[in-house]
Structure formats: C-alpha cells, structure tokens
Amino acid sequence: MSLFPAFAADAEATQFKEPPQVNWLQNTSFQIDVTPHTEEPAKETPSTPDDEPEPKKRKKEKKHKHKTIKEKRAAAEITEYKEEGFAIDKVRNKEFLTVKTISRPSAPKYSVRYYVNSFKARRRKKFKRYYHHARKINDKSDTEEQVITKKNLDAMGGSKKDDNFAGFQQETDLSQTTATYNRKLTENVHDIKLWLEYVKFQDTVYQFEKTYRKGSIAKGLRVLAERKLSILDKALTHNQNCEELLRERLNVAVNVYPSDELQVLLKGLVDKEQGNIILWQGYIESTQCSMSHCNTPAVLNLYIKCLSILHKLRRNSTMEKAQLEENILKMLYQCGLFLKQAGLFEQLWTLLRLYLELNLSASDKSKFNISSGFEEKQLVEFEEVVFNSQLPLHELWLRTEKLREACHWLPFAEDGQCEDPQRLVFPEDVAELIHPITMPENTFKLIATILTLMKIPLLFCRHSTMQDLGLDYVPWALDSIESLLPIFLPLYPIDLRNDNLIIDNRLSVGPQYLKVLPGQEEYLNFVLSTMKSCAECLTGDDRTATTVWWLRFQKLLIILEKENRFKLPQGFGKKIKSNVKALLKQEENRSNIIFYCEYALIEYELGNIETCLNIIRTALSFSSNRMILASTVDEEQTARCYLYRILIEVYLNTKKDSEALKHLIGYVLERNGPVDTLNDDVFNQATLKFKHVTLQLLQKEMDKLPVANQFLPNFLTDWIICNGWFLYLTKGAIQCGTFIENILCELEDKQQGMMWQKEVIFEFYVAVFFKHCTLNPGYGTFKILDDVLSRAIEQYPNNLFLLTVLAKEQSITSCSGAPWWKLKSLLVKTGRAFPILFLVLIGNQQSVAVRETFVETFTGKKYEMSGSHKNRMLALFRLITRPDMCTRRCGLVWRLYLQFVHAHFDPALCRNVYYCAVEECPWLKALYIDAAIYIPAELAQIQDLLIEKQLRLHVTPEELDVLRS
C-alpha cells in the first residue's frame, strides 16, 4: 500500500515486476579503487556532509601566535560541533554590544570594565603558600642541604607571597610571632609560662583563620584543640607531671570533645597513669558534669574507685607518700563538695565524722557525736502553718523543702520509726570512701578541708593558703555565699565598708547560719562545737591555728551583725564573749599571747576600744623586752612583734597617728613603753635599727612556711609591716612604696618558697596606698594604686582582701576610675572563679550606687537600671558562662545569672538560662530550688530531674499531695 494516494497505481503496477537492471555502479561519479595498498593506512579525518558547503576562506588571515585559553577551548568546540553539522560560536565579539535589536537570551553576555583616566586595576595574584616548585637534581651537589642566609634567601625556591592579600600584614605578624615562640621555647623548654602563652596565642591564629580562611566553625574549633593538645604534649615531654600544663591540657579537651568521647579518652589516660590526680579529676567531672550521665550513685562509685586506687598506690608504690595523701585529701574535698551541693548533708557529715574519729580521736569515738539540739515538734508546727496558708503548689513545696533542709542535716539517730528513709545513713554506706591520713603535715589540711565543707570560710582567705591546702583548683566549689564572707573581716587600718557591695542572704543554702530560719542557731552551735573539738584534738601550731580560726570566725559574726548583714540569735553575742573567756582561763592557754590579741580585736569590734588597748598592753607585759636580732627570732619575739603591729593599727584606726608612732619607735628601740617625745634624733635611731634588722632578715635563709603557720603571726612580714608604717608616718606613702618595692625584688631574687610572705607584703602595699588615696584624693596617686592592685591580683587572684579593695576603689572613684573593659580584662584573664564573681558583684554595685544616689528631676523617683547597663550585665553573664571559661560550672555564677534575668527580662529568657545552667551543673540542687522560685510553671519537670539524678529531696510530690489533703 502506498503512503500517498497519488502514487497508488504505479505502486500496484510495479509490485510484481522484477527489479530493473541498475547501472549506477558504472557511473563515472562512482569509481572503486581496488588496487592493493602497500603502505600503512593513514588516519581518517572526518569530512563535512555533502549538503553543507565549506566556509569560504579569507584571502589573508593574520595568525596570532598567542591565543588565550578561552579562545583555544572555543575553537576546539567549534571543530567538534562542525562534525555534527552545526557550530556554536563562543568567541566574544564586542560588535554585538552596539546592536540594540537583539533581545535576550539571544544577545551574548559580556562583562565590561570601564577605566577612568586609563587606570587599570591590578589583578590579584594567586597566593601560593603550602607547596613549592620541584626542580630536577642534576648532580650530587644539589642533593646537599643548603644553608639559608639573608643573601641567598631570595634565590631559594618557593612561592612568593602576594602583597595584595587582605590579611597579608596580619599573617606576616603571626608568622614572626610564631617563629619567636619557637626560638624561645627551643632555648628554654622548661619555661611553663611561655608554653602556656604559646597555647593561648593559638586563639589569635584561629581568629585570623576564621576571618580569612573561611570554613566550618565546629571543624575549626576541633583543629584548634588538636593543635593546642599537640603543643601541650610536646611541653609535657620536657616538663613531666607539671600541674599547670596538665590542667590546661584537660581544659582544652573538656571544651571541645563531647562527653562520651571525653570519657573514653580520659578513661584510657587514667588506666595508664593511675596516680595522676588531674586526670582523675577530669575523668570524674566528665561524668558529674554530663546531663545524660550524672546521677548520685554513678558519681560516688567513681570517687570510691579513685580513692581506693590512690590508697593502694600509697601502700605499694615507691611514690612520695605525702604527695599521695595530699591527692587523697583533694579527692575527699571534691567528693564532699558533690555531696554538699547535691543536698546529701547526712551522708556528708557521716563521712566527715568518720574521718575525724579515725585520724584525730581514735581513742574517744564519742568526741564528734554532736547532736543538733533541734526539736522535731517545732518543725511539725511550722509545717502545719505552711499547709494551712492556702499558698500555690510551688510555694508549698518550696517552703516545706527549705524548712526540712534547714533542720535535717544530721542522720536520724533517735528511737522510733523515721518517715524519711534518706535520713537513715549508716557508716557502712560511706565506708569505702574512708582512708587514714598518716603524715603529720597533712593533719591540718584534713581539718581545713572538713571545716570548709561545713561552710566555714578561710580566715584570712589568701591565694597561697588556698593553694597549699589544695582548695584552689575546683572552680565549681562556689555554690553559696559563705565563701565570700571574709571580705567583711578587716586586715589593715583602712575603711573597706561598702554598703553597695551586696551579698544576698537568699543565695545561702541550708543548713546555714546567715538567715533567720528554724535551725539557724542550732547549726551555728554545731559548727562552733566541731571547730572547738578539732582544736582540742590537735597539738602545737596546728592547735593554735585552729583556735585562732575559731576566734576569727566569731569576730566575723559580730562584724556582720554590726553591718546589718547578719542577725545573731538572741544572746549569742554574750555567749561568744563567755566562750573566749573560758578559753583563756584554761591552764595551757593563759600564756598564749596570740589568743589575747584575738580577744582584744573582738572587744574592739564590740566597740570597747579602751578594753582592747588594755588587753594588748597586758599581753605585752607577759613577754620580756629582749634585743631584736634576726638570728635569735623565736615564738616569743614573733608574738611580741605581732602585738605591736596590732597596737599600732588600732591607734591608726582611731586616728591617733602620733601615739602609734611613739609606740612603734619605743618597740624598735627596745624600750618598755612608748617614747616621750618625737624628734630627728629618735627618728634616725629608729631608721638605722629598722634598716639593720631588715637587711639581716633578707639575708637569712628561710624554708617554706607550713600551711598551719599561715594562720599565725610571722616575724618577717610583721617586722616589714612595722617598718612600712614607720616610713609612712614619717616620710609619706611614696617612700613607703619604694621600700616595699625593694623588699619584693629581694624576695623575688633570693628567696625560694616565699609566696605567702610576698602576698602579705603586697596586701600591705595596697593598704598603704589606699589609705593615702582616700585621705589625699587630690594627690593623683590613684594611678599607682591601680598599678599595684593589677600586679597583685594577677599574681594572687584568689586573695579576697585585694578584690575587696578593688571593689571599694570602684565605688569611690565611680566614673573616674578604671574603665569597665580594663576591669573586665584584668579579672577574666586570671582564670579563677573568685575574681570573675567579683566582676559580677562590682557590676551590681554600680547599679545599686546609681539607684541610691541619683533621683529623677521631675518625678523625684530613684533611677532604675538603664537599658545599657542591663545589656552590659547580660553580655558579661554570657561571657563568663561560655564553654572556655572556668565559671561555666560555678553554681553561684549561674544562680546570680538566674536572679538577674528574672528581675529584668521576660520569663522565656529565664527558662532558657535555667536549662543552660542545669546542662552545665546537673548535680547542683540549689539551681533546681531557684528555678522553682523564678519559673514555677516548670515545677513538675524540676521535681522529675531531682528524682532522676537522685539528689536529696526532703518532700516528694506524692507526700506533698497527702500533706495538703
């Protein structure tokens, strides 16, 4: 059948005919060459189709020797597509730019640059850095290593830097700094400070790479951490068991690695080095600080395992036993902190009591069986009042929980059935955590650890003392305000009272002795009885130091009540005075001059100045007036020097400078009383005597001071302070400062292990200039005070006296003082919890000062916190809770953060802050209690978390429902 009807007939006619003979093969246009080829066939070249004529060639075409890469590619594509019958022209033709009739997308797209005044922009060259050109080695001389010198540096192979690179200058500076660090560290591999600076410098390198070498931030942080770890590993090969390097290595790993990966990593390291306390601390914290892994039994099992391994090493290995015992005490401190912050105070006291009985009163097991004396019926009456108050559910739970927390801190020891099973704690429950302390020098450290866990602050709180006691490292030790109380205890005759420096009693955690609540008086009596029993079990300097601590603590309570920061129970002031008198009446204490001096200071704080002076004069009559020689210094001479120092400072406090100077010269000239007249002859004699004895003391070899003696008078520091007061009263503060600078230089160069002495001298240095600045504000010496304070805080960041002076100076100078950025830089870079916490307190102090001082003109109302100050404080809290900050796990910082956000921002932000805080500190019960106050809508989730983490819960939701009904 034909496709077209017009040809149907022809198709039928030819359908059955034979095909005709076709002679097209004989056509002249088709001839086949059948001759055989003997040569190798040439490569066939494709030809264009017959129906397409070849493009006409120009008569004369100019050949370009150099063609661009784009032109070559375009020509190749044209040739390729010509084989298929069409061509694509990709060579640009600027003539098309003048054609206005071609519409897009037909019109080609070209980028055109216009230059003004024939100015041509330079192309940015590619910066080749990480590879170099290879060259052939033709002879043996090329294989020899070439020495690089300044002359042949340019002739050496390698890529050239691009000067047009945006960060060229910064990269050059970083390269030079890196080269400087490498050279210095090669020359002195034992410089720990330089190694840490080099590790810190990697953050600057990371910021440069983050700015100019774009990439993943998470990947960059991991690379940064690995770079730091490699540097620290190299440093540790030259400085094995260096605590600072190990601590920094642990912090780097904690900041970057996830908790699961970190636990595996640290477990492997702990198995290799079982005696390394820093690795153990990191391994336990990786579980304790992990929201998914933290619960009370799991964390306690790790502490049990650690202490048992340390105990075995102490018995079996050849390592130094004193150091291993110090490690046991450090882990006991951390374990006690965990129990205290988790609310498990019954287990904590059981643990501490067994340590005291085992190591202090092995013969008298009932020495530390101290009862609370609180009546249970009184608590039941308070609870009935709460349940009948018709308060909301979260308020009922909070008040009941706080009441029981304040009253129940001892295990249940009465006859009858106990309704709360968590109060039933037996010695067998904590027996695996108990190990003997056998070294005599560690006994006082055990006492200090136990008293600190019972919320008794160090008095006086100095950086070197904390370091020697092993209480310095743990940044999450601060969860309540008791550790900050030493800022109210005066050390020198300067006025540091600061009403704007608020220490909120609401931040205390039960059981406590600061707030008027049921159980306050009972817990205070319990604490004082424990301190006194500890002192009675000790001997020598340990006993004296513990007793002095006990006396200073009672003096602190009197000062707090005098400043309306603390309410003593009724009649407790008289009880303190009778306790001290009873102590002094004991036969072994009647001749102890130090106790009389502390009693005199208590009388001074009670307002009895004349009584104070009479007690000091009486105590001075007990000691003989001997010749002062540096070679014959004993306890009597030390106590006499300390008494004169206190006497002089009492006179300075009462603004009797001439009386102070007379007694001071009478002491140094070895007279029985003060000199009658002050003249140049007397001044010259006193100056020569001070100079002679001071030179003798500095030339004398001295050993490191035991930690117990840091609570007692020291002849070197007391003599230098007396010498300093003499110069201050006779020649002025500048001469006194020059003298102290020379003393510090001498101690730095000649003496080893004099950290505590230098810290005390720095305190006196600051006190002298603060006194001078406040009395003479127009003399321009605040700059000197700022410089001395900065140096002192950098070296001793945990010294609360220095931080208190800084806060007081900020309140005095106000806007004319150090700027906020400088203050923040000084305190944050210390890497310690106390200075960073003081930064928050100083920020709050400024807002309180503005609110109390200034009044709006029209309304007459007090100023509220401005928006800028709110944002500044919010930025500060976000800074100090970052993953790379030590305070990210400090409970008190998070609690202040929650309090601030609740007061000035919406509840949604408060809720977010709470969950961030719990993520960092999942074991801290105080956070959950605060959250129940600030975000009561989350009460159910808060209680679930408390139960899930197995923290101490005095009243469960089910019990609360029963009690309500």
Short mmCIF file of all heavy atoms in Angstrom, two decimals, residues 296 335-349 401 404-406 408-410 420 422-423 425 455 479 509-511 923-926 928-929 946 950-954:
data_model
loop_
_atom_site.label_atom_id
_atom_site.label_comp_id
_atom_site.label_asym_id
_atom_site.label_seq_id
_atom_site.Cartn_x
_atom_site.Cartn_y
_atom_site.Cartn_z
N THR A 296 23.70 10.36 91.28
CA THR A 296 24.49 10.27 92.51
C THR A 296 25.24 8.95 92.65
O THR A 296 26.45 8.96 92.93
CB THR A 296 23.56 10.50 93.72
OG1 THR A 296 23.00 11.80 93.62
CG2 THR A 296 24.34 10.37 95.01
N CYS A 335 34.73 15.14 96.62
CA CYS A 335 33.62 14.25 96.93
C CYS A 335 32.67 14.90 97.94
O CYS A 335 31.44 14.82 97.80
CB CYS A 335 34.16 12.93 97.48
SG CYS A 335 32.89 11.72 97.90
N GLY A 336 33.25 15.56 98.96
CA GLY A 336 32.42 16.28 99.93
C GLY A 336 31.64 17.41 99.29
O GLY A 336 30.47 17.64 99.63
N LEU A 337 32.27 18.13 98.36
CA LEU A 337 31.55 19.19 97.64
C LEU A 337 30.36 18.63 96.87
O LEU A 337 29.27 19.22 96.85
CB LEU A 337 32.50 19.90 96.67
CG LEU A 337 33.43 20.96 97.24
CD1 LEU A 337 34.34 21.48 96.16
CD2 LEU A 337 32.63 22.11 97.84
N PHE A 338 30.58 17.49 96.23
CA PHE A 338 29.48 16.87 95.47
C PHE A 338 28.33 16.51 96.39
O PHE A 338 27.16 16.79 96.09
CB PHE A 338 29.99 15.64 94.73
CG PHE A 338 28.91 14.84 94.07
CD1 PHE A 338 28.32 15.28 92.90
CD2 PHE A 338 28.45 13.66 94.64
CE1 PHE A 338 27.30 14.56 92.30
CE2 PHE A 338 27.45 12.93 94.05
CZ PHE A 338 26.87 13.37 92.87
N LEU A 339 28.62 15.90 97.54
CA LEU A 339 27.56 15.52 98.48
C LEU A 339 26.85 16.76 99.02
O LEU A 339 25.61 16.78 99.14
CB LEU A 339 28.15 14.71 99.63
CG LEU A 339 28.66 13.30 99.28
CD1 LEU A 339 29.40 12.70 100.47
CD2 LEU A 339 27.52 12.40 98.86
N LYS A 340 27.61 17.79 99.35
CA LYS A 340 27.01 19.02 99.89
C LYS A 340 26.11 19.70 98.86
O LYS A 340 24.99 20.11 99.16
CB LYS A 340 28.12 19.98 100.34
CG LYS A 340 27.63 21.33 100.85
CD LYS A 340 28.74 22.11 101.49
CE LYS A 340 29.68 22.70 100.48
NZ LYS A 340 29.18 23.96 99.89
N GLN A 341 26.60 19.81 97.62
CA GLN A 341 25.83 20.52 96.60
C GLN A 341 24.65 19.69 96.09
O GLN A 341 23.69 20.25 95.57
CB GLN A 341 26.75 20.90 95.44
CG GLN A 341 27.80 21.91 95.85
CD GLN A 341 28.75 22.28 94.73
OE1 GLN A 341 28.63 21.80 93.61
NE2 GLN A 341 29.73 23.12 95.04
N ALA A 342 24.73 18.37 96.24
CA ALA A 342 23.59 17.53 95.88
C ALA A 342 22.55 17.46 96.99
O ALA A 342 21.49 16.84 96.81
CB ALA A 342 24.07 16.11 95.55
N GLY A 343 22.82 18.11 98.13
CA GLY A 343 21.87 18.15 99.23
C GLY A 343 21.98 16.97 100.18
O GLY A 343 21.18 16.87 101.12
N LEU A 344 22.98 16.11 99.98
CA LEU A 344 23.12 14.90 100.80
C LEU A 344 23.97 15.21 102.04
O LEU A 344 25.07 14.68 102.22
CB LEU A 344 23.75 13.78 99.97
CG LEU A 344 22.95 13.40 98.72
CD1 LEU A 344 23.80 12.57 97.77
CD2 LEU A 344 21.70 12.63 99.11
N PHE A 345 23.46 16.08 102.90
CA PHE A 345 24.25 16.52 104.04
C PHE A 345 24.38 15.43 105.10
O PHE A 345 25.36 15.40 105.85
CB PHE A 345 23.65 17.79 104.65
CG PHE A 345 24.67 18.77 105.13
CD1 PHE A 345 25.16 19.75 104.29
CD2 PHE A 345 25.17 18.70 106.41
CE1 PHE A 345 26.12 20.64 104.73
CE2 PHE A 345 26.13 19.59 106.86
CZ PHE A 345 26.62 20.56 106.02
N GLU A 346 23.39 14.54 105.22
CA GLU A 346 23.51 13.45 106.18
C GLU A 346 24.69 12.54 105.83
O GLU A 346 25.47 12.14 106.70
CB GLU A 346 22.22 12.63 106.21
CG GLU A 346 21.01 13.39 106.75
CD GLU A 346 20.21 14.06 105.64
OE1 GLU A 346 20.73 14.13 104.51
OE2 GLU A 346 19.08 14.49 105.89
N GLN A 347 24.84 12.22 104.54
CA GLN A 347 25.98 11.39 104.12
C GLN A 347 27.29 12.16 104.29
O GLN A 347 28.31 11.57 104.66
CB GLN A 347 25.80 10.96 102.66
CG GLN A 347 24.67 9.98 102.45
CD GLN A 347 24.65 9.47 101.01
OE1 GLN A 347 25.67 9.27 100.40
NE2 GLN A 347 23.45 9.25 100.49
N LEU A 348 27.25 13.46 104.01
CA LEU A 348 28.47 14.27 104.13
C LEU A 348 28.97 14.27 105.57
O LEU A 348 30.16 14.04 105.82
CB LEU A 348 28.20 15.69 103.65
CG LEU A 348 29.34 16.69 103.88
CD1 LEU A 348 30.57 16.30 103.07
CD2 LEU A 348 28.90 18.10 103.52
N TRP A 349 28.09 14.54 106.54
CA TRP A 349 28.55 14.60 107.93
C TRP A 349 29.00 13.23 108.42
O TRP A 349 29.96 13.12 109.19
CB TRP A 349 27.47 15.16 108.84
CG TRP A 349 27.84 15.04 110.28
CD1 TRP A 349 27.20 14.34 111.24
CD2 TRP A 349 28.99 15.64 110.92
NE1 TRP A 349 27.86 14.46 112.44
CE2 TRP A 349 28.97 15.25 112.27
CE3 TRP A 349 30.02 16.44 110.47
CZ2 TRP A 349 29.93 15.65 113.18
CZ3 TRP A 349 30.99 16.84 111.38
CH2 TRP A 349 30.94 16.45 112.72
N GLU A 401 10.28 22.21 101.63
CA GLU A 401 11.62 21.71 101.31
C GLU A 401 12.69 22.50 102.06
O GLU A 401 13.63 21.93 102.64
CB GLU A 401 11.85 21.79 99.80
CG GLU A 401 13.20 21.29 99.32
CD GLU A 401 13.36 19.79 99.44
OE1 GLU A 401 12.34 19.08 99.42
OE2 GLU A 401 14.51 19.33 99.57
N ARG A 404 12.67 21.72 105.95
CA ARG A 404 13.29 20.44 106.31
C ARG A 404 14.79 20.45 106.01
O ARG A 404 15.58 19.84 106.75
CB ARG A 404 12.61 19.32 105.53
CG ARG A 404 11.16 19.11 105.93
CD ARG A 404 10.56 17.89 105.28
NE ARG A 404 9.18 17.68 105.70
CZ ARG A 404 8.43 16.65 105.32
NH1 ARG A 404 8.92 15.73 104.50
NH2 ARG A 404 7.18 16.54 105.75
N GLU A 405 15.18 21.15 104.96
CA GLU A 405 16.61 21.24 104.63
C GLU A 405 17.39 21.98 105.71
O GLU A 405 18.52 21.64 106.03
CB GLU A 405 16.76 21.95 103.28
CG GLU A 405 18.17 22.03 102.75
CD GLU A 405 18.23 22.80 101.45
OE1 GLU A 405 17.80 23.98 101.44
OE2 GLU A 405 18.71 22.25 100.44
N ALA A 406 16.74 23.00 106.31
CA ALA A 406 17.41 23.78 107.35
C ALA A 406 17.50 23.05 108.67
O ALA A 406 18.38 23.34 109.49
CB ALA A 406 16.68 25.11 107.54
N HIS A 408 17.14 19.37 109.06
CA HIS A 408 17.63 17.99 108.99
C HIS A 408 18.97 17.96 108.27
O HIS A 408 19.03 17.92 107.04
CB HIS A 408 16.62 17.10 108.25
CG HIS A 408 15.33 16.92 108.97
ND1 HIS A 408 14.17 16.49 108.35
CD2 HIS A 408 15.00 17.13 110.27
CE1 HIS A 408 13.19 16.43 109.24
NE2 HIS A 408 13.67 16.81 110.42
N TRP A 409 20.06 18.03 109.00
CA TRP A 409 21.37 17.87 108.37
C TRP A 409 22.16 16.73 109.01
O TRP A 409 23.22 16.37 108.52
CB TRP A 409 22.17 19.18 108.49
CG TRP A 409 22.63 19.53 109.85
CD1 TRP A 409 23.78 19.12 110.44
CD2 TRP A 409 21.97 20.36 110.81
NE1 TRP A 409 23.88 19.64 111.71
CE2 TRP A 409 22.78 20.41 111.96
CE3 TRP A 409 20.77 21.08 110.80
CZ2 TRP A 409 22.43 21.15 113.08
CZ3 TRP A 409 20.43 21.80 111.92
CH2 TRP A 409 21.24 21.83 113.04
N LEU A 410 21.64 16.15 110.09
CA LEU A 410 22.30 15.02 110.73
C LEU A 410 21.49 13.75 110.48
O LEU A 410 20.26 13.80 110.34
CB LEU A 410 22.43 15.26 112.23
CG LEU A 410 23.37 16.40 112.66
CD1 LEU A 410 23.38 16.50 114.17
CD2 LEU A 410 24.75 16.19 112.13
N ASP A 420 11.37 9.57 106.76
CA ASP A 420 12.20 9.88 105.60
C ASP A 420 13.34 8.87 105.52
O ASP A 420 14.28 8.92 106.32
CB ASP A 420 12.76 11.31 105.73
CG ASP A 420 13.49 11.75 104.47
OD1 ASP A 420 13.63 10.94 103.53
OD2 ASP A 420 13.93 12.93 104.42
N GLN A 422 15.86 8.63 103.56
CA GLN A 422 17.17 9.19 103.22
C GLN A 422 17.90 9.74 104.46
O GLN A 422 19.09 10.02 104.38
CB GLN A 422 17.03 10.30 102.18
CG GLN A 422 16.71 9.76 100.78
CD GLN A 422 16.77 10.85 99.73
OE1 GLN A 422 15.91 11.71 99.66
NE2 GLN A 422 17.79 10.80 98.91
N ARG A 423 17.20 9.88 105.58
CA ARG A 423 17.85 10.32 106.81
C ARG A 423 18.55 9.17 107.51
O ARG A 423 19.34 9.39 108.43
CB ARG A 423 16.82 10.94 107.76
CG ARG A 423 16.26 12.27 107.28
CD ARG A 423 15.42 12.90 108.38
NE ARG A 423 16.26 13.28 109.52
CZ ARG A 423 15.78 13.62 110.71
NH1 ARG A 423 14.47 13.61 110.93
NH2 ARG A 423 16.59 13.95 111.69
N VAL A 425 21.31 7.02 107.49
CA VAL A 425 22.65 6.83 106.91
C VAL A 425 23.52 6.13 107.93
O VAL A 425 23.62 6.57 109.09
CB VAL A 425 23.27 8.19 106.50
CG1 VAL A 425 24.66 7.98 105.91
CG2 VAL A 425 22.38 8.92 105.52
N LYS A 455 31.06 24.88 105.50
CA LYS A 455 30.71 26.27 105.17
C LYS A 455 31.36 27.28 106.10
O LYS A 455 30.84 28.37 106.29
CB LYS A 455 29.20 26.48 105.15
CG LYS A 455 28.45 25.54 104.24
CD LYS A 455 26.98 25.83 104.23
CE LYS A 455 26.24 24.85 103.36
NZ LYS A 455 24.79 25.10 103.32
N ASP A 479 29.02 27.64 95.51
CA ASP A 479 27.59 27.49 95.22
C ASP A 479 26.74 28.35 96.15
O ASP A 479 25.57 28.55 95.89
CB ASP A 479 27.17 26.02 95.35
CG ASP A 479 27.32 25.51 96.78
OD1 ASP A 479 28.38 25.75 97.38
OD2 ASP A 479 26.38 24.88 97.30
N VAL A 509 22.46 28.37 101.21
CA VAL A 509 21.83 27.06 101.04
C VAL A 509 21.82 26.37 102.39
O VAL A 509 22.81 26.40 103.13
CB VAL A 509 22.59 26.22 100.00
CG1 VAL A 509 21.93 24.86 99.83
CG2 VAL A 509 22.66 26.94 98.66
N GLY A 510 20.70 25.75 102.72
CA GLY A 510 20.60 25.09 104.01
C GLY A 510 21.37 23.80 104.08
O GLY A 510 21.60 23.14 103.05
N PRO A 511 21.83 23.40 105.27
CA PRO A 511 21.73 24.15 106.53
C PRO A 511 22.69 25.34 106.54
O PRO A 511 23.79 25.25 106.02
CB PRO A 511 22.14 23.10 107.57
CG PRO A 511 23.03 22.16 106.83
CD PRO A 511 22.51 22.10 105.43
N TRP A 923 24.19 18.34 88.93
CA TRP A 923 24.17 17.81 90.30
C TRP A 923 23.81 18.87 91.34
O TRP A 923 23.63 18.55 92.50
CB TRP A 923 25.54 17.23 90.64
CG TRP A 923 26.56 18.29 90.90
CD1 TRP A 923 26.90 18.82 92.11
CD2 TRP A 923 27.34 19.01 89.94
NE1 TRP A 923 27.85 19.80 91.97
CE2 TRP A 923 28.14 19.94 90.63
CE3 TRP A 923 27.44 18.95 88.56
CZ2 TRP A 923 29.02 20.79 89.99
CZ3 TRP A 923 28.33 19.79 87.91
CH2 TRP A 923 29.10 20.71 88.62
N LEU A 924 23.70 20.14 90.96
CA LEU A 924 23.56 21.25 91.91
C LEU A 924 22.10 21.45 92.27
O LEU A 924 21.31 21.97 91.48
CB LEU A 924 24.16 22.52 91.31
CG LEU A 924 24.26 23.72 92.24
CD1 LEU A 924 25.13 23.41 93.45
CD2 LEU A 924 24.80 24.93 91.51
N LYS A 925 21.73 21.06 93.48
CA LYS A 925 20.33 21.15 93.92
C LYS A 925 19.86 22.59 94.03
O LYS A 925 18.68 22.88 93.78
CB LYS A 925 20.18 20.43 95.26
CG LYS A 925 18.75 20.41 95.76
CD LYS A 925 18.65 19.88 97.17
CE LYS A 925 17.24 20.03 97.71
NZ LYS A 925 17.13 19.61 99.11
N ALA A 926 20.74 23.51 94.40
CA ALA A 926 20.34 24.92 94.57
C ALA A 926 19.78 25.51 93.29
O ALA A 926 18.90 26.38 93.33
CB ALA A 926 21.54 25.73 95.05
N TYR A 928 17.92 23.94 91.06
CA TYR A 928 16.54 23.49 90.93
C TYR A 928 15.63 24.25 91.89
O TYR A 928 14.49 24.59 91.53
CB TYR A 928 16.47 21.98 91.20
CG TYR A 928 17.31 21.14 90.26
CD1 TYR A 928 18.57 20.71 90.63
CD2 TYR A 928 16.84 20.79 89.00
CE1 TYR A 928 19.34 19.94 89.78
CE2 TYR A 928 17.61 20.01 88.15
CZ TYR A 928 18.86 19.59 88.54
OH TYR A 928 19.62 18.84 87.69
N ILE A 929 16.13 24.53 93.09
CA ILE A 929 15.33 25.30 94.05
C ILE A 929 15.09 26.71 93.54
O ILE A 929 13.97 27.24 93.60
CB ILE A 929 16.04 25.32 95.42
CG1 ILE A 929 16.22 23.90 95.97
CG2 ILE A 929 15.26 26.17 96.40
CD1 ILE A 929 14.93 23.17 96.24
N LEU A 946 15.15 16.21 89.74
CA LEU A 946 15.70 15.92 91.06
C LEU A 946 15.62 14.43 91.37
O LEU A 946 16.57 13.85 91.92
CB LEU A 946 14.95 16.72 92.12
CG LEU A 946 15.30 18.20 92.26
CD1 LEU A 946 14.25 18.92 93.11
CD2 LEU A 946 16.67 18.37 92.89
N GLN A 950 18.73 11.56 91.41
CA GLN A 950 18.81 11.01 92.77
C GLN A 950 19.46 11.99 93.74
O GLN A 950 20.30 11.62 94.58
CB GLN A 950 19.56 9.67 92.76
CG GLN A 950 18.89 8.61 91.89
CD GLN A 950 19.53 7.26 92.02
OE1 GLN A 950 19.94 6.86 93.09
NE2 GLN A 950 19.60 6.52 90.91
N LEU A 951 19.10 13.27 93.61
CA LEU A 951 19.53 14.29 94.54
C LEU A 951 18.64 14.25 95.78
O LEU A 951 17.60 13.60 95.79
CB LEU A 951 19.49 15.67 93.89
CG LEU A 951 20.25 15.81 92.56
CD1 LEU A 951 20.16 17.23 92.04
CD2 LEU A 951 21.71 15.39 92.70
N ARG A 952 19.04 14.96 96.81
CA ARG A 952 18.31 14.91 98.08
C ARG A 952 16.99 15.65 97.95
O ARG A 952 16.96 16.84 97.63
CB ARG A 952 19.16 15.54 99.19
CG ARG A 952 18.50 15.51 100.56
CD ARG A 952 18.43 14.10 101.10
NE ARG A 952 18.11 14.06 102.50
CZ ARG A 952 16.89 13.79 102.98
NH1 ARG A 952 15.88 13.56 102.15
NH2 ARG A 952 16.69 13.73 104.28
N LEU A 953 15.91 14.95 98.20
CA LEU A 953 14.57 15.52 98.14
C LEU A 953 13.89 15.24 99.47
O LEU A 953 13.62 14.09 99.82
CB LEU A 953 13.78 14.89 96.98
CG LEU A 953 12.58 15.67 96.45
CD1 LEU A 953 13.02 17.02 95.92
CD2 LEU A 953 11.89 14.90 95.34
N HIS A 954 13.63 16.29 100.24
CA HIS A 954 13.06 16.12 101.58
C HIS A 954 11.56 15.86 101.54
O HIS A 954 11.01 15.25 102.46
CB HIS A 954 13.35 17.34 102.44
CG HIS A 954 14.79 17.48 102.82
ND1 HIS A 954 15.71 18.10 102.00
CD2 HIS A 954 15.48 17.07 103.92
CE1 HIS A 954 16.90 18.07 102.59
NE2 HIS A 954 16.79 17.46 103.75
#
